[in-house]
Amino acid sequence: MSDDNGSRPARVEDVHELASAMPHVTVEYGTGDNPVYQVGGKSFVFFRNPRPDAVDPDTGERYADVIVFWVDSEADKQALVQDETSPFFTTAHFDGHPSVLLRASRIGELTRSELAEVVHDAWLSRASSRRAAAWLRARHPA
């Protein structure tokens, strides 16, 4: 199987590759030098520091590998987090916030194509209407 095959398990490196490949993206570095991918100064994917709201239910240890992806709506968020088999989750800290969380340790439960869709949707949810329309036209020419 080719390494660029979309059906292979996703990897953390794919998040970086996919996010940085989107148009007009800049990368800022947050606390602990975690990358924050932005379009038009708005974050759409970032790597989170361990926080008290995302912990292992058995040990209470803070998750050190949480990636945050913006979503377009609460309905999109619920579609990703309500499925018990989905690796996406949320916490009370993110109630009302248009984003979902994913532990890097579970990223391989997604295919690269599925991850690409989540990254693209995150970018679209934060890009200006003009940038989003141009990107969509380029991907789906008439």
Side-chain angles (χ1 to χ4, degrees), residues 6 8-19 22 45 47 67 69 87-88 102-103 106-123:
R8 71 158 167 77
R11 301 185 293 239
V12 172
E13 299 79 40
D14 295 326
V15 176
H16 299 292
E17 179 185 316
L18 292 162
M22 297 303 295
V45 172
F47 289 73
I67 309 167
F69 299 88
F88 294 101
L102 173 69
R103 292 193 62 203
R106 293 191 64 187
I107 201 166
E109 294 176 37
L110 302 172
T111 65
R112 188 176 192 285
S113 293
E114 290 168 334
L115 178 64
E117 184 178 341
V118 172
V119 172
H120 295 163
D121 288 350
W123 183 90

Side-chain angles (χ1 to χ4, degrees), residues 117-134:
E117 184 178 341
V118 172
V119 172
H120 295 163
D121 288 350
W123 183 90
L124 285 166
S125 76
R126 304 292 282 168
S128 68
S129 305
R130 182 180 50 79
R131 287 178 174 163

Side-chain angles (χ1 to χ4, degrees), residues 5-96:
N5 185 325
S7 63
R8 71 158 167 77
R11 301 185 293 239
V12 172
E13 299 79 40
D14 295 326
V15 176
H16 299 292
E17 179 185 316
L18 292 162
S20 62
M22 297 303 295
H24 309 286
V25 167
T26 57
V27 182
E28 300 292 326
Y29 290 90
T31 320
D33 282 336
N34 286 339
V36 178
Y37 293 92
Q38 299 180 334
V39 56
K42 296 177 181 178
S43 304
F44 68 98
V45 172
F46 72 89
F47 289 73
R48 195 169 183 234
N49 288 323
R51 300 285 305 250
D53 66 301
V55 298
D56 182 295
D58 297 325
T59 66
E61 188 174 331
R62 294 178 182 186
Y63 293 144
D65 64 343
V66 174
I67 309 167
V68 179
F69 299 88
W70 260 253
V71 294
D72 193 46
S73 68
E74 182 66 21
D76 290 342
K77 176 178 184 168
Q78 292 306 317
L80 290 170
V81 301
Q82 283 184 334
D83 178 355
E84 294 282 324
T85 64
S86 169
F88 294 101
F89 69 103
T90 190
T91 68
H93 179 76
F94 285 91
D95 282 354

